[in-house]
């Protein structure tokens, strides 16, 4: 089995050392590089070709949010998992909208951080339904009518079945749960999710969930 190629980006050398030690114990993960600031990320990605970037949000020169936006705008960009000390932070929402596949807290148990890297490499976002709902509640206070109108306009490009799947994704349901609820196969659900991502120009299921929330579909 091919090892997951991981790039670590954090301005604290002690944090990087801890993450390196933690990930080094996983036989299926290979650390291909380390960075101390967001301004190093693109060059490091070009040189090391990682599958996943584990990136701190707060860094001195270029923060992780900006670095994530720049990275995810590129073709064939690696997946990004952001590191944070807060579990309900506007900056985390910003990172998810920028294309991060999820986030982990810095005090998360080591085994869970390793699992997060594995899950993201496999294409699964690192957000439980409970955490997704908490983030969306946090965003509710700042959601403007213009954001809702814009989100609804984008979702209007979906057909009825795709819209149903988008709402189910927004509610944090797994593919098997969506398949059961909408009376379709898991393979068909995956096909619909892929089409939704392509039509809307999104990177992952988390962004589908945020867009469905912005559009007010989860309240209906």
């Amino acid at each position: 089995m091919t090892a997951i190629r991981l790039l670590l980006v954090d301005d604290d050398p002690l944090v990087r050392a801890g993450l390196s030690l933690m990930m080094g114990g996983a036989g299926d993960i290979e650390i291909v590089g380390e960075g101390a600031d967001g301004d190093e990320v693109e060059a490091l990605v070009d040189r090391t070709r990682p599958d996943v970037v584990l990136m701190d949000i707060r860094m001195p020169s270029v923060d992780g949010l900006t670095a994530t936006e720049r990275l995810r705008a590129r073709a064939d960009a690696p997946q990004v998992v952001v590191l944070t000390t807060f579990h309900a932070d506007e900056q985390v929402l910003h990172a998810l909208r920028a294309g991060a596949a999820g986030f982990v807290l810095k005090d998360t148990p080591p085994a869970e951080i390793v699992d997060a890297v594995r899950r993201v490499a496999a294409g699964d976002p690192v957000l439980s339904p409970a955490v997704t709902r908490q983030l969306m509640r946090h965003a509710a206070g700042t959601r403007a009518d213009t954001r809702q109108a814009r989100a609804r306009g984008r979702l209007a490009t979906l057909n009825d079945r795709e819209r149903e799947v988008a709402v189910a994704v927004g509610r944090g349901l797994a593919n098997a749960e969506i398949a059961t609820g909408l009376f379709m196969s898991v393979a068909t659900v995956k096909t619909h999710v892929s089409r939704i991502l392509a039509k809307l120009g999104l990177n992952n299921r988390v962004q589908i969930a945020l867009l469905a929330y912005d559009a007010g579909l989860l309240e209906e």
Side-chain angles (χ1 to χ4, degrees):
M1 183 177 63
T2 303
I4 299 165
R5 298 174 62 81
L6 178 66
L7 173 64
L8 303 176
V9 184
D10 195 296
D11 64 325
D12 188 334
L14 292 178
V15 171
R16 291 201 309 275
L19 290 170
S20 181
L21 181 64
M22 181 192 312
M23 297 298 171
D28 58 340
I29 297 176
E30 176 188 2
I31 298 174
V32 295
E34 296 183 13
D37 205 304
D39 62 358
E40 304 175 25
V41 171
E42 291 188 89
L44 283 169
V45 166
D46 288 339
R47 186 163 68 249
T48 64
R49 299 295 178 185
D51 301 305
V52 179
V53 179
L54 191 57
M55 180 143 51
D56 189 20
I57 285 184
R58 294 172 175 84
M59 291 183 284
S61 179
V62 174
D63 63 38
L65 302 178
T66 302
T68 297
E69 287 179 333
R70 292 175 179 174
L71 195 57
R72 293 301 300 172
R74 296 165 41 133
D76 300 321
Q79 297 294 338
V80 177
V81 178
V82 296
L83 288 164
T84 180
T85 54
F86 301 99
H87 63 284
D89 188 337
E90 183 65 31
Q91 288 185 312
V92 173
L93 283 167
H94 186 167
L96 297 178
R97 294 187 192 283
F103 74 93
V104 292
L105 300 177
K106 287 190 174 182
D107 60 358
T108 297
E112 293 183 22
I113 296 181
V114 172
D115 182 61
V117 170
R118 289 174 176 147
R119 286 173 55 194
V120 166
D124 296 325
V126 187
L127 283 177
S128 69
V131 172
T132 301
R133 288 193 294 270
Q134 184 172 6
L135 283 170
M136 290 177 176
R137 284 196 299 270
H138 179 72
T142 59
R143 188 184 67 187
D145 289 341
T146 53
R147 177 178 287 177
Q148 183 180 83
R150 187 164 57 247
R152 291 199 170 203
R154 292 182 68 186
L155 290 171
T157 62
L158 305 181
N159 62 39
D160 290 342
R161 205 56 164 162
E162 290 165 346
R163 183 185 175 97
E164 289 177 333
V165 172
V167 171
V169 169
R171 290 182 173 140
L173 300 181
N175 286 341
E177 294 172 314
I178 297 173
T180 299
L182 296 180
F183 305 102
M184 61 177 71
S185 69
V186 172
T188 300
V189 173
K190 291 180 179 179
T191 297
H192 281 309
V193 171
S194 295
R195 288 175 179 169
I196 292 167
L197 292 171
K199 281 186 176 183
L200 301 179
L202 302 176
N203 291 298
N204 53 51
R205 294 167 71 100
V206 175
Q207 289 187 322
I208 295 175
L210 291 171
L211 191 62
Y213 181 81
D214 284 346
L217 298 184
L218 307 187
E219 304 167 2
E220 296 176 355

